[in-house]
Amino acid sequence: MNSINNKTIHCSECNAACGTEDLSTIDNRQVCRKCLFGNGSPVTIYPIGIVNNNLERDQTPFGRKGTNTVSKIELLPSQKRFMSGLDQEPEITIVYYLHKSRSVKTFFKRGIDGKQVGVFASRTPDRLSRIGIQDVRLLDIKGTTLFVKGLDAVSGTPVLDIKLKI
């Protein structure tokens, strides 16, 4: 049994005592990993780089501020060996980790059209998986730094993978 400020934290769905690392906030309620994911096991993924741009997370409904112009994806030097042919592709898909994710809401008004939807019918950065994916235009490559247009990830976002856009 874990506590914060001498209070035991219980799952709002099954009432199990949990540590904060085993809880997610859904609709402002604490829900345990077992209620959300059953007997599924966590997956370990290592980042291959980081996003550098002028976008920041804020409190607006979509959750970011700054102009979305050119982003730099700074790959780790160890990733150079995997970049062959990348410079010949005009568009690529970036997979990234939403490291500044907030509480998840079951229903909310989608930013595009105001329609009431759930997470899977939206592009919200507030997701249980914390995985983002975006097709971008590849503008240039200098060493292991990619210059892309159209990436909505905030600065400091870990990049998990790069794929050819199909």
Side-chain angles (χ1 to χ4, degrees):
M1 198 179 302
N2 293 302
S3 65
I4 292 180
N5 299 331
N6 298 324
K7 286 178 136 181
T8 301
I9 303 170
H10 290 276
C11 173
S12 64
E13 293 186 8
C14 71
N15 204 32
C18 300
T20 55
E21 69 280 356
D22 292 321
L23 294 166
S24 292
T25 304
I26 312 292
D27 298 327
N28 295 318
R29 295 175 31 227
Q30 298 297 310
V31 181
C32 76
R33 185 181 296 166
K34 185 155 178 91
C35 285
L36 288 172
F37 306 114
N39 292 324
S41 298
V43 178
T44 302
I45 300 174
Y46 293 95
I48 61 169
I50 194 161
V51 173
N52 186 345
N53 59 23
N54 66 354
L55 296 178
E56 297 177 40
R57 193 75 206 259
D58 69 5
Q59 297 305 313
T60 62
F62 189 68
R64 68 159 205 235
K65 66 180 178 180
T67 56
N68 190 9
T69 55
V70 174
S71 294
K72 290 192 277 184
I73 296 175
E74 299 169 348
L75 298 178
L76 298 170
S78 61
Q79 303 305 302
K80 178 76 172 163
R81 67 186 93 191
F82 306 115
M83 295 175 63
S84 179
L86 187 60
D87 59 343
Q88 299 167 28
E89 303 303 329
E91 294 183 305
I92 55 177
T93 301
I94 307 300
V95 181
Y96 51 96
Y97 181 71
L98 298 161
H99 70 300
K100 299 228 174 178
S101 191
R102 300 182 297 214
S103 175
V104 177
K105 295 180 181 173
T106 303
F107 300 103
F108 56 93
K109 289 188 178 181
R110 185 167 59 193
I112 302 169
D113 56 11
K115 184 177 179 180
Q116 186 85 0
V117 298
V119 171
F120 298 146
S122 76
R123 292 194 48 80
T124 181
D126 302 321
R127 322 181 73 77
L128 286 176
S129 70
R130 294 184 164 218
I131 294 174
I133 185 168
Q134 182 93 45
D135 293 332
V136 299
R137 180 145 187 83
L138 180 58
L139 303 174
D140 196 10
I141 300 174
K142 290 192 182 343
T144 55
T145 300
L146 284 58
F147 295 82
V148 301
K149 187 167 179 85
L151 185 63
D152 62 6
V154 298
S155 196
T157 297
V159 175
L160 304 177
D161 202 0
I162 299 168
K163 298 184 175 291
L164 171 68
K165 180 188 174 208
I166 297 178

